[in-house]
Amino acid sequence: MPEELPPGLWCYRVSHDRSLLGGALNDVGRALAWADVTLAVDQVEPEVLSAALLAEPHETTPLVLPFFTGERSTGWASGARAVITGVSLASAPVEVYRGVVEGIALAYARIVSQLREAAPQPERLFAGGSVTTDHPELLQVMADAMRTPVTPVRIKRTTLHGTALLALETLAPDVRRARPERGKALTPDYNRRPYYTERFQRFERVYEALYG
């Protein structure tokens, strides 16, 4: 158990000497579903949208706080709602969509920032679920925003899988575990670090002004 628990995280004791520390987000798939419909990206060629998400980040991208149904980690503000700032007449739908994707990555980065207060620097991150399959570009943005390699895990019910692994440590500690299929790891582009550092700081300023 950590001696001090950062306020944005949860912590469950899973055995007499181990704990599970983490955070939770409301809106990942829902935020992207909102963007899909509201921004009518179905009218945009998939290659164009993918290229916009994988392109070099640009300061004209709108900043998005993706709290469409309230916030859990890290502020636990149930009344929080999504905020989009920095939109101009030149902002195309794909740029706003990229802002939503960056906002999700920055929300994860806020959790990782608090995890680093209580645990060692993560060596790698694993990402599962339908969002990672439907929107693989999100993983590169996450890797860049969190400065940590991200590996997609191609398995259904990832949360249930993790629960089973914890239970097996007690029920069958000597049984060899099956390894889920993994995709290619996406490594962070450290040349983008200044951009995401500035974005993270702007995210925090907007958050504090509205919900702090």
Side-chain angles (χ1 to χ4, degrees), residues 148-169:
T148 306
V150 177
T151 301
V153 178
R154 300 192 177 105
I155 183 175
K156 294 182 179 180
R157 307 292 185 185
T158 51
T159 301
L160 183 59
H161 181 257
T163 303
L165 290 176
L166 290 172
L168 286 171
E169 289 187 4

Side-chain angles (χ1 to χ4, degrees), residues 8 10 22-26 71-74 76 111:
W10 43 253
L25 299 182
N26 279 7
E71 181 203 16
R72 284 192 280 177
S73 296
T74 57
W76 309 104
I111 293 175

Side-chain angles (χ1 to χ4, degrees), residues 94-107:
V94 293
E95 292 176 295
V96 180
Y97 196 99
R98 163 120 191 187
V100 173
V101 170
E102 288 186 1
I104 293 170
L106 291 169

Side-chain angles (χ1 to χ4, degrees), residues 126-144:
F126 295 98
S130 59
V131 170
T132 63
T133 302
D134 299 338
H135 302 275
E137 298 88 356
L138 171 63
L139 301 184
Q140 183 61 59
V141 179
M142 287 175 59
D144 293 339

Side-chain angles (χ1 to χ4, degrees), residues 2 10 16 20 23 25 27 30 34-35 46 64 73 90 119 149 152-153 169 176 184 189 205:
W10 43 253
H16 72 282
L20 183 65
L25 299 182
D27 299 311
R30 279 186 291 223
W34 175 90
V64 178
S73 296
V153 178
E169 289 187 4
R176 183 173 176 269
K184 180 181 178 182
D189 185 336
R205 289 197 299 270

